[in-house]
Amino acid sequence: MHLKKDLELIMANVYEAVIGLEVHAQLSTETKIFCSCQARVESGKTEIPVNSNTCPICAGHPGVLPVLNKKVVEYAIKAGLATGCEIRLVNIFARKNYFYPDLPKGYQISQYENPICENGFLEITTKDFIKKKINIQRIHMEEDAGKNVHLAEFSLVNLNRAGVPLIEIVSGPDMRSAEEAGAYLRALHAILTYLDICDGNMQEGNFRCDANISIRPQGAKEFGTRTEIKNVNSFRFVEKALEYEIKRQTDVVQSGQKVILETRTYDSDQGITLPLRSKEEAHDYRYFPEPDLIPLQLSQKLVEEIKDTLPELPSQKKERFIRDLGLSSYDASVLTSSKNLALFFEKAVQKLVLKGWNILEASKPVANFLTGEVARLLNDENIEINQSKLQIDHTVDVVTAAKDGLLSSTGAKQVIAMAWKNGDSVNAIIEREGLRQVSDNNVLEQIVEKIVANYPLQVTQYLSGKEKILGFLVGQAMKESAGKANPVVIQDLFKKKFKGDHNASS
Amino acid sequence: MFTVNEDLTRKIAHLARLHLTEDEVKTFTSQLREIINYIELLEEVNVSGVKPLTHPFELETPMREDKISHYPKTNEGKSKILDSAPEILYDSFKVPSIISGE
């Protein structure tokens, strides 16, 4: 919290941050980009045996030739179309040369001068509901490297990941705060998962982010010296790493020193960034056109065909939720921020509609649950809704029980929280926890009588026109019922009783 | 433009992870200079209006369908790719330590 306050003060007065992000997204194709080895590891599945998905091509044996996976091109085009990019029809690949044991060929096949997608953008909404356009400079196709395990005396190399297709998405230096960077990443993540071209699991490395950040005096035109923060594996950590880095760079500059151009890593335990041991020489990748791949020629017709297959994107879904389901802009934003959450919402509403609910009446309470209690739980545990124990039926049953007066709003929240924990059915939880809201008039009338007897002064005040005191009496009745009474019924009973008494006494 | 000198030769050798003796540095510097000078003859050609060519054939790159085909496995169910490794440990390629000594 301190860091955040400090930051706001610093940034408001003197400096502004300039942030650009590079995202590496693994494409969810079955096979690798240049060979037919299996590429995709389904989320949560136990790790496939070391080096089992390898062949002479992805292991970089001499004399082999790469053959491009059609689906990789299609997915890259989808990403470009969904972010308003121009699609380049003649593509060449390039070699990026460097030595590292996880890169068996000694070069990575990538794209350099002419990426497949260029000049796109996406729109983010900041916390203050301000919309901002973030440019996407380029999206290009490339291959992933393998993985190294470093031991004391030697290193071990697993090439299962070598050759897994990636798209690298490069933003403009357009973000001015950690929060904007987080919003951009979430929006991009949502687009790729809606397109179903990336599994999007950050912990498993499907969606990786490098952040370039510098600070400069407010109003300055030139950029300051930047640092690059590598491979941070959650949205929240990216934001925290950037907040820390803004503060650190500001301190460096204010103490009269200079920011050093370097690569840093984020230590999530300490909440700080640390310099990665810098290599002696600057990178000298010596890009040149990949001689093993002839230029890729695409037709405008193919691009149009792919355009026709694009699904409803987050921004379109959000507009539809507002327009057709009557949701608030906030609710629609939260629900569409994740494909899984949006689907969960739509399926729950659909079930209620099948039970005879009006679609507008069904949408509002389901949205309330998902954007309130459930969003909080998802956020706390940093998971997607399909990774939780909460089922669509839980939501449907809770909403139905609340409408039928069997659950108070507090009770409904409790049920959701318990279903979240153990996955039990809504009815089972209501019975076990005694959460059934009492709407039975006989029981409630007794409570009302008791409260009237216990608080004669307040009753007199009410009868003499001080109607606000009713809230107090209802509150006492709720307390008496241990929160189980239906407050609407209680209030009606009080009114009925006082009206009756009034009539009787006059 | 850059100058071909011994420092450049050493830099290029380092990028290729080649260890050159001082004699070799001298030999390759003069050879590199000759090669570069020869290539520079191309500067005399007027290429205005000519599109950059990255490949001599006017062909389209062929593409594959996204279908899995596994490389043969050994009797123990391991990828045959491991057979060609000089050293293996835990089914991984064993390589000199990367981190320490850097």
Side-chain angles (χ1 to χ4, degrees):
Chain A
M1 267 341 262
H2 268 303
L3 180 58
K4 217 160 191 170
K5 266 272 159 316
D6 284 358
L7 264 177
E8 278 166 14
L9 276 174
I10 293 162
M11 302 314 286
N13 296 326
V14 197
Y15 295 104
E16 71 171 359
V18 177
I19 301 167
L21 299 172
E22 288 170 22
V23 168
H24 286 92
Q26 280 183 345
L27 298 177
S28 52
T29 55
E30 293 297 322
T31 67
K32 295 187 177 180
I33 182 169
F34 298 122
C35 64
S36 298
C37 287
Q38 182 179 328
R40 195 175 183 188
V41 185
E42 265 181 64
S43 176
K45 286 261 166 77
T46 43
E47 190 71 35
I48 38 177
V50 174
N51 281 313
S52 60
N53 291 338
T54 50
C55 76
I57 296 174
C58 53
H61 286 199
V64 297
L65 285 174
V67 186
L68 184 58
N69 182 345
K70 206 190 235 172
K71 203 133 226 175
V72 170
V73 178
E74 188 188 312
Y75 282 9
I77 293 173
K78 279 190 180 181
L81 290 173
T83 51
C85 287
E86 298 153 21
I87 310 297
R88 183 184 303 279
L89 298 180
V90 180
N91 279 264
I92 58 165
F93 286 89
R95 285 189 185 180
K96 178 181 181 177
N97 298 279
Y98 66 94
F99 285 115
Y100 210 58
D102 60 13
L103 189 74
K105 296 193 296 298
Y107 57 85
Q108 178 193 31
I109 305 180
S110 179
Q111 289 191 286
Y112 187 51
E113 281 169 323
N114 302 311
I116 188 162
C117 313
E118 268 178 306
N119 301 327
F121 68 94
L122 59 80
E123 198 175 69
I124 59 167
T125 311
T126 60
K127 247 188 281 173
D128 314 319
F129 294 100
I130 296 163
K131 284 187 176 171
K132 185 171 173 180
K133 206 167 129 174
I134 307 294
N135 288 300
I136 289 179
Q137 290 180 343
R138 58 184 283 154
I139 301 176
H140 69 250
M141 302 173 277
E142 62 184 26
E143 57 182 336
D144 210 341
K147 282 182 187 170
N148 298 318
V149 178
H150 304 296
L151 302 177
E153 303 292 317
F154 45 83
S155 295
L156 298 176
V157 183
N158 177 1
L159 295 180
N160 280 342
R161 200 180 68 177
V164 168
L166 297 175
I167 48 173
E168 180 176 328
I169 303 140
V170 182
S171 82
D174 298 343
M175 287 146 280
R176 295 288 172 269
S177 67
E179 188 217 336
E180 285 183 12
Y184 167 84
L185 282 178
R186 288 186 180 90
L188 181 62
H189 183 269
I191 289 172
L192 300 185
T193 48
Y194 272 62
L195 289 172
D196 212 6
I197 63 172
C198 173
D199 289 332
N201 188 322
M202 288 185 85
Q203 275 79 42
E204 289 178 23
N206 301 150
F207 184 94
R208 316 197 283 266
C209 172
D210 300 337
N212 286 297
I213 172 159
S214 59
I215 58 162
R216 64 182 175 190
Q218 289 278 3
K221 288 271 183 294
E222 323 80 62
F223 297 132
T225 305
R226 70 190 156 81
T227 58
E228 183 179 18
I229 309 170
K230 279 250 181 229
N231 283 332
V232 190
N233 68 0
S234 84
F235 295 130
R236 212 178 294 170
F237 286 163
V238 172
E239 289 173 333
K240 284 189 175 167
L242 286 170
E243 277 172 7
Y244 177 85
E245 191 59 15
I246 293 168
K247 173 83 165 66
R248 188 191 68 85
Q249 291 190 10
T250 308
D251 287 348
V252 167
V253 171
Q254 283 188 330
S255 64
Q257 290 163 296
K258 285 198 166 121
V259 174
I260 305 163
L261 177 74
E262 64 183 353
T263 304
R264 300 178 71 89
T265 179
Y266 181 64
D267 180 329
S268 57
D269 292 333
Q270 297 184 69
I272 61 172
T273 67
L274 295 164
L276 274 173
R277 188 174 293 217
S278 62
K279 300 204 175 109
E280 289 159 39
E281 79 243 70
H283 285 305
D284 190 345
Y285 292 129
R286 294 150 292 142
Y287 284 97
F288 64 86
E290 166 58 84
D292 286 345
L293 286 163
I294 299 165
L296 167 67
Q297 314 262 359
L298 302 168
S299 67
Q300 191 58 43
K301 185 169 158 277
L302 174 76
V303 175
E304 295 303 324
E305 279 168 15
I306 293 173
K307 202 176 208 166
D308 290 340
T309 69
L310 290 187
E312 186 181 45
L313 292 168
S315 55
Q316 295 163 330
K317 204 182 263 296
K318 181 183 160 190
E319 275 168 37
R320 181 168 61 81
F321 282 2
I322 295 170
R323 189 183 61 230
D324 296 351
L325 304 180
L327 296 188
S328 70
S329 171
Y330 173 81
D331 282 356
S333 291
V334 175
L335 290 173
T336 56
S337 64
S338 139
K339 183 188 180 186
N340 292 320
L341 190 61
L343 277 179
F344 190 98
F345 166 76
E346 288 187 285
K347 283 184 183 158
V349 169
Q350 197 181 19
K351 280 203 166 182
L352 288 169
V353 168
L354 286 174
K355 285 169 128 190
W357 288 50
N358 169 299
I359 193 160
L360 295 175
E361 279 172 15
S363 299
K364 187 65 195 160
V366 174
N368 281 346
F369 271 114
L370 295 182
T371 61
E373 191 66 7
V374 175
R376 192 181 61 73
L377 291 164
L378 287 170
N379 205 33
D380 284 352
E381 295 185 22
N382 198 16
I383 56 169
E384 288 276 325
I385 193 149
N386 50 329
Q387 296 170 291
S388 81
K389 290 190 176 124
L390 194 75
Q391 302 296 313
I392 290 163
D393 280 341
H394 286 128
T395 311
V396 170
D397 292 348
V398 164
V399 168
T400 309
K403 194 194 181 199
D404 293 346
L406 297 174
L407 269 179
S408 66
S409 59
T410 331
K413 270 186 202 158
Q414 285 172 276
V415 172
I416 290 285
M418 281 171 203
W420 178 273
K421 255 191 218 140
N422 53 32
D424 288 349
S425 82
V426 170
N427 276 335
I429 295 169
I430 292 177
E431 296 311 327
R432 191 180 63 221
E433 304 295 325
L435 289 169
R436 185 179 294 282
Q437 180 168 262
V438 179
S439 299
D440 179 341
N441 279 9
N442 291 333
V443 180
L444 296 184
E445 268 166 13
Q446 282 175 21
I447 293 174
V448 167
E449 292 294 345
K450 189 170 173 193
I451 297 302
V452 169
N454 286 354
Y455 297 95
L457 180 63
Q458 283 81 356
V459 170
T460 322
Q461 283 175 335
Y462 177 82
L463 289 173
S464 60
K466 203 177 168 200
E467 294 192 358
K468 271 192 187 157
I469 207 81
L470 185 60
F472 167 81
L473 293 168
V474 171
Q476 293 308 313
M478 290 304 291
K479 215 187 225 173
E480 179 68 29
S481 76
K484 284 186 208 164
N486 181 335
V488 180
V489 178
I490 287 278
Q491 182 157 330
D492 284 350
L493 287 174
F494 271 118
K495 280 188 181 165
K496 217 160 92 188
K497 171 151 182 64
F498 292 144
K499 212 173 168 195
D501 285 1
H502 200 68
N503 289 343
S505 65
S506 64
Chain B
M1 273 310 281
F2 57 89
T3 329
V4 179
N5 55 25
E6 294 186 1
D7 280 345
L8 183 73
T9 305
R10 284 193 195 93
K11 188 188 165 196
I12 292 169
H14 177 67
L15 286 170
R17 300 298 184 269
L18 293 173
H19 298 284
L20 301 184
T21 64
E22 279 310 297
D23 280 350
E24 284 171 324
V25 168
K26 286 195 175 64
T27 311
F28 290 130
T29 303
S30 71
Q31 288 183 358
L32 253 181
R33 194 175 289 134
E34 277 173 46
I35 293 167
I36 300 281
N37 285 344
Y38 179 63
I39 300 289
E40 273 179 352
L41 286 175
L42 288 172
E43 298 278 342
E44 293 166 21
V45 184
N46 180 3
V47 289
S48 58
V50 179
K51 268 201 259 173
L53 182 76
T54 57
H55 211 278
F57 303 116
E58 286 284 317
L59 296 170
E60 293 181 23
T61 198
M63 287 193 265
R64 306 180 346 259
E65 294 300 322
D66 187 27
K67 291 258 158 60
I68 296 174
S69 150
H70 288 290
Y71 190 63
K73 299 228 184 304
T74 62
N75 292 336
E76 297 90 58
K78 293 178 179 166
S79 174
K80 278 202 163 165
I81 207 77
L82 293 169
D83 290 352
S84 50
E87 255 192 294
I88 307 172
L89 185 67
Y90 308 127
D91 297 336
S92 301
F93 298 100
K94 189 175 163 190
V95 298
S97 178
I98 305 160
I99 292 290
S100 67
E102 208 182 319

Short mmCIF file of all heavy atoms in Angstrom, two decimals, chain B residues 67-101:
data_model
loop_
_atom_site.label_atom_id
_atom_site.label_comp_id
_atom_site.label_asym_id
_atom_site.label_seq_id
_atom_site.Cartn_x
_atom_site.Cartn_y
_atom_site.Cartn_z
N LYS B 67 -1.30 -32.34 -38.31
CA LYS B 67 -1.54 -33.73 -37.87
C LYS B 67 -0.30 -34.28 -37.19
O LYS B 67 0.80 -34.20 -37.76
CB LYS B 67 -1.87 -34.62 -39.09
CG LYS B 67 -3.20 -34.30 -39.73
CD LYS B 67 -4.26 -35.33 -39.30
CE LYS B 67 -5.67 -34.78 -39.45
NZ LYS B 67 -5.99 -34.38 -40.84
N ILE B 68 -0.49 -34.89 -36.04
CA ILE B 68 0.65 -35.42 -35.29
C ILE B 68 1.21 -36.67 -35.96
O ILE B 68 0.47 -37.54 -36.40
CB ILE B 68 0.25 -35.76 -33.84
CG1 ILE B 68 -0.16 -34.49 -33.09
CG2 ILE B 68 1.40 -36.46 -33.10
CD1 ILE B 68 -0.71 -34.74 -31.71
N SER B 69 2.53 -36.74 -36.03
CA SER B 69 3.19 -37.96 -36.47
C SER B 69 4.42 -38.12 -35.58
O SER B 69 5.29 -37.25 -35.56
CB SER B 69 3.55 -37.83 -37.94
OG SER B 69 4.69 -38.57 -38.24
N HIS B 70 4.43 -39.20 -34.79
CA HIS B 70 5.52 -39.33 -33.82
C HIS B 70 6.77 -39.91 -34.44
O HIS B 70 6.70 -40.83 -35.25
CB HIS B 70 5.07 -40.23 -32.66
CG HIS B 70 4.08 -39.56 -31.76
ND1 HIS B 70 4.42 -38.51 -30.94
CD2 HIS B 70 2.76 -39.77 -31.56
CE1 HIS B 70 3.35 -38.11 -30.27
NE2 HIS B 70 2.32 -38.86 -30.64
N TYR B 71 7.89 -39.39 -34.05
CA TYR B 71 9.17 -39.96 -34.45
C TYR B 71 9.30 -41.31 -33.76
O TYR B 71 8.82 -41.49 -32.64
CB TYR B 71 10.28 -38.99 -34.00
CG TYR B 71 11.64 -39.33 -34.56
CD1 TYR B 71 11.87 -39.29 -35.93
CD2 TYR B 71 12.68 -39.68 -33.71
CE1 TYR B 71 13.12 -39.59 -36.43
CE2 TYR B 71 13.93 -39.97 -34.21
CZ TYR B 71 14.15 -39.94 -35.57
OH TYR B 71 15.38 -40.24 -36.07
N PRO B 72 9.95 -42.30 -34.43
CA PRO B 72 10.00 -43.65 -33.85
C PRO B 72 10.52 -43.68 -32.41
O PRO B 72 11.36 -42.87 -32.02
CB PRO B 72 10.98 -44.38 -34.78
CG PRO B 72 10.94 -43.63 -36.05
CD PRO B 72 10.61 -42.21 -35.71
N LYS B 73 9.98 -44.64 -31.66
CA LYS B 73 10.40 -44.77 -30.27
C LYS B 73 11.24 -46.04 -30.11
O LYS B 73 11.14 -46.98 -30.91
CB LYS B 73 9.17 -44.85 -29.36
CG LYS B 73 8.28 -43.62 -29.42
CD LYS B 73 7.94 -43.14 -28.03
CE LYS B 73 6.98 -41.97 -27.99
NZ LYS B 73 7.38 -40.79 -28.73
N THR B 74 12.02 -46.07 -29.08
CA THR B 74 12.81 -47.26 -28.77
C THR B 74 11.90 -48.29 -28.11
O THR B 74 10.74 -47.99 -27.80
CB THR B 74 13.94 -46.94 -27.79
OG1 THR B 74 13.34 -46.50 -26.57
CG2 THR B 74 14.86 -45.86 -28.31
N ASN B 75 12.42 -49.48 -27.87
CA ASN B 75 11.63 -50.51 -27.21
C ASN B 75 11.17 -50.08 -25.82
O ASN B 75 10.15 -50.54 -25.32
CB ASN B 75 12.43 -51.81 -27.11
CG ASN B 75 12.66 -52.41 -28.48
OD1 ASN B 75 11.89 -52.14 -29.41
ND2 ASN B 75 13.72 -53.19 -28.62
N GLU B 76 11.95 -49.21 -25.20
CA GLU B 76 11.57 -48.73 -23.86
C GLU B 76 10.58 -47.56 -23.97
O GLU B 76 10.25 -46.94 -22.96
CB GLU B 76 12.80 -48.25 -23.07
CG GLU B 76 13.83 -49.32 -22.77
CD GLU B 76 14.88 -49.42 -23.86
OE1 GLU B 76 15.54 -48.41 -24.13
OE2 GLU B 76 14.99 -50.50 -24.46
N GLY B 77 10.13 -47.26 -25.18
CA GLY B 77 9.15 -46.20 -25.35
C GLY B 77 9.73 -44.80 -25.32
O GLY B 77 9.03 -43.82 -25.12
N LYS B 78 11.04 -44.73 -25.49
CA LYS B 78 11.67 -43.40 -25.51
C LYS B 78 11.96 -42.97 -26.94
O LYS B 78 12.13 -43.82 -27.82
CB LYS B 78 12.95 -43.43 -24.69
CG LYS B 78 12.61 -43.65 -23.23
CD LYS B 78 13.79 -43.75 -22.35
CE LYS B 78 13.28 -43.93 -20.92
NZ LYS B 78 14.31 -44.37 -20.02
N SER B 79 12.03 -41.67 -27.16
CA SER B 79 12.27 -41.17 -28.51
C SER B 79 13.65 -41.61 -28.98
O SER B 79 14.63 -41.52 -28.24
CB SER B 79 12.17 -39.65 -28.53
OG SER B 79 12.55 -39.18 -29.79
N LYS B 80 13.70 -42.06 -30.22
CA LYS B 80 14.99 -42.49 -30.77
C LYS B 80 15.97 -41.34 -30.90
O LYS B 80 17.15 -41.55 -31.14
CB LYS B 80 14.78 -43.15 -32.14
CG LYS B 80 14.37 -44.59 -32.04
CD LYS B 80 14.69 -45.34 -33.31
CE LYS B 80 14.65 -46.84 -33.02
NZ LYS B 80 14.60 -47.64 -34.21
N ILE B 81 15.46 -40.12 -30.74
CA ILE B 81 16.33 -38.96 -30.88
C ILE B 81 17.44 -39.02 -29.84
O ILE B 81 18.54 -38.52 -30.04
CB ILE B 81 15.51 -37.65 -30.76
CG1 ILE B 81 16.18 -36.51 -31.51
CG2 ILE B 81 15.31 -37.23 -29.32
CD1 ILE B 81 15.97 -36.58 -32.97
N LEU B 82 17.15 -39.67 -28.71
CA LEU B 82 18.13 -39.73 -27.62
C LEU B 82 19.34 -40.58 -28.01
O LEU B 82 20.43 -40.42 -27.47
CB LEU B 82 17.49 -40.27 -26.34
CG LEU B 82 16.43 -39.34 -25.72
CD1 LEU B 82 15.65 -40.06 -24.63
CD2 LEU B 82 17.07 -38.08 -25.17
N ASP B 83 19.12 -41.52 -28.97
CA ASP B 83 20.22 -42.39 -29.39
C ASP B 83 21.42 -41.61 -29.94
O ASP B 83 22.55 -42.06 -29.86
CB ASP B 83 19.75 -43.35 -30.50
CG ASP B 83 18.79 -44.39 -29.96
OD1 ASP B 83 18.63 -44.44 -28.71
OD2 ASP B 83 18.19 -45.12 -30.76
N SER B 84 21.13 -40.45 -30.52
CA SER B 84 22.23 -39.72 -31.16
C SER B 84 22.92 -38.75 -30.20
O SER B 84 23.82 -38.02 -30.61
CB SER B 84 21.69 -38.96 -32.38
OG SER B 84 20.56 -38.23 -32.03
N ALA B 85 22.48 -38.73 -28.95
CA ALA B 85 23.09 -37.79 -28.00
C ALA B 85 24.39 -38.37 -27.45
O ALA B 85 24.44 -39.54 -27.09
CB ALA B 85 22.12 -37.50 -26.86
N PRO B 86 25.43 -37.56 -27.37
CA PRO B 86 26.68 -38.05 -26.79
C PRO B 86 26.51 -38.45 -25.32
O PRO B 86 27.08 -39.41 -24.85
CB PRO B 86 27.64 -36.87 -26.90
CG PRO B 86 26.99 -35.87 -27.77
CD PRO B 86 25.53 -36.17 -27.84
N GLU B 87 25.69 -37.68 -24.59
CA GLU B 87 25.50 -37.99 -23.18
C GLU B 87 24.06 -37.71 -22.77
O GLU B 87 23.50 -36.66 -23.10
CB GLU B 87 26.42 -37.11 -22.32
CG GLU B 87 27.61 -37.85 -21.75
CD GLU B 87 28.31 -37.04 -20.68
OE1 GLU B 87 28.87 -35.98 -21.02
OE2 GLU B 87 28.25 -37.45 -19.51
N ILE B 88 23.48 -38.67 -22.05
CA ILE B 88 22.09 -38.51 -21.61
C ILE B 88 22.02 -38.70 -20.10
O ILE B 88 22.74 -39.53 -19.54
CB ILE B 88 21.16 -39.57 -22.24
CG1 ILE B 88 21.30 -39.59 -23.76
CG2 ILE B 88 19.70 -39.31 -21.91
CD1 ILE B 88 20.56 -40.75 -24.38
N LEU B 89 21.15 -37.94 -19.46
CA LEU B 89 20.86 -38.18 -18.05
C LEU B 89 19.38 -37.87 -17.84
O LEU B 89 18.90 -36.83 -18.28
CB LEU B 89 21.72 -37.26 -17.17
CG LEU B 89 21.60 -37.50 -15.66
CD1 LEU B 89 22.18 -38.86 -15.26
CD2 LEU B 89 22.33 -36.38 -14.90
N TYR B 90 18.68 -38.77 -17.18
CA TYR B 90 17.23 -38.63 -16.98
C TYR B 90 16.51 -38.32 -18.29
O TYR B 90 15.67 -37.42 -18.37
CB TYR B 90 16.90 -37.52 -15.97
CG TYR B 90 17.62 -37.63 -14.67
CD1 TYR B 90 18.36 -36.55 -14.17
CD2 TYR B 90 17.58 -38.80 -13.92
CE1 TYR B 90 19.03 -36.63 -12.97
CE2 TYR B 90 18.25 -38.89 -12.71
CZ TYR B 90 18.97 -37.80 -12.24
OH TYR B 90 19.64 -37.90 -11.07
N ASP B 91 16.88 -39.00 -19.35
CA ASP B 91 16.30 -38.79 -20.68
C ASP B 91 16.52 -37.38 -21.23
O ASP B 91 15.88 -36.96 -22.19
CB ASP B 91 14.79 -39.10 -20.70
CG ASP B 91 14.51 -40.55 -20.38
OD1 ASP B 91 15.41 -41.38 -20.60
OD2 ASP B 91 13.39 -40.84 -19.93
N SER B 92 17.41 -36.63 -20.59
CA SER B 92 17.71 -35.29 -21.08
C SER B 92 19.08 -35.28 -21.75
O SER B 92 19.92 -36.12 -21.45
CB SER B 92 17.77 -34.29 -19.91
OG SER B 92 16.55 -34.27 -19.23
N PHE B 93 19.27 -34.31 -22.64
CA PHE B 93 20.60 -34.11 -23.20
C PHE B 93 21.46 -33.46 -22.13
O PHE B 93 21.09 -32.42 -21.58
CB PHE B 93 20.53 -33.20 -24.43
CG PHE B 93 19.70 -33.77 -25.55
CD1 PHE B 93 18.39 -33.34 -25.73
CD2 PHE B 93 20.20 -34.75 -26.39
CE1 PHE B 93 17.61 -33.86 -26.75
CE2 PHE B 93 19.42 -35.29 -27.41
CZ PHE B 93 18.12 -34.85 -27.59
N LYS B 94 22.57 -34.09 -21.83
CA LYS B 94 23.44 -33.54 -20.79
C LYS B 94 24.45 -32.62 -21.44
O LYS B 94 25.15 -33.03 -22.38
CB LYS B 94 24.14 -34.69 -20.07
CG LYS B 94 24.90 -34.26 -18.83
CD LYS B 94 25.45 -35.48 -18.12
CE LYS B 94 26.53 -35.06 -17.15
NZ LYS B 94 27.26 -36.22 -16.62
N VAL B 95 24.51 -31.38 -20.99
CA VAL B 95 25.42 -30.40 -21.60
C VAL B 95 26.24 -29.73 -20.50
O VAL B 95 25.86 -29.77 -19.33
CB VAL B 95 24.65 -29.32 -22.41
CG1 VAL B 95 23.87 -29.95 -23.55
CG2 VAL B 95 23.73 -28.52 -21.50
N PRO B 96 27.35 -29.10 -20.87
CA PRO B 96 28.14 -28.40 -19.85
C PRO B 96 27.30 -27.36 -19.12
O PRO B 96 26.35 -26.81 -19.70
CB PRO B 96 29.25 -27.72 -20.66
CG PRO B 96 29.34 -28.49 -21.93
CD PRO B 96 27.95 -29.00 -22.20
N SER B 97 27.66 -27.11 -17.89
CA SER B 97 26.90 -26.16 -17.07
C SER B 97 26.79 -24.81 -17.77
O SER B 97 27.76 -24.30 -18.32
CB SER B 97 27.61 -26.00 -15.74
OG SER B 97 26.92 -25.06 -14.97
N ILE B 98 25.60 -24.23 -17.75
CA ILE B 98 25.39 -22.98 -18.45
C ILE B 98 25.55 -21.80 -17.49
O ILE B 98 26.12 -20.77 -17.82
CB ILE B 98 23.96 -22.92 -19.05
CG1 ILE B 98 23.72 -24.12 -19.93
CG2 ILE B 98 23.78 -21.64 -19.84
CD1 ILE B 98 22.27 -24.39 -20.16
N ILE B 99 25.03 -21.98 -16.28
CA ILE B 99 24.95 -20.84 -15.37
C ILE B 99 26.31 -20.51 -14.74
O ILE B 99 26.80 -19.40 -14.88
CB ILE B 99 23.91 -21.11 -14.25
CG1 ILE B 99 22.52 -21.14 -14.86
CG2 ILE B 99 24.01 -20.08 -13.16
CD1 ILE B 99 22.01 -19.79 -15.32
N SER B 100 26.93 -21.49 -14.08
CA SER B 100 28.17 -21.17 -13.37
C SER B 100 29.27 -20.90 -14.39
O SER B 100 29.25 -21.44 -15.50
CB SER B 100 28.56 -22.31 -12.45
OG SER B 100 28.93 -23.43 -13.21
N GLY B 101 30.20 -20.07 -14.02
CA GLY B 101 31.31 -19.76 -14.90
C GLY B 101 30.96 -18.71 -15.93
O GLY B 101 31.80 -18.29 -16.71
#
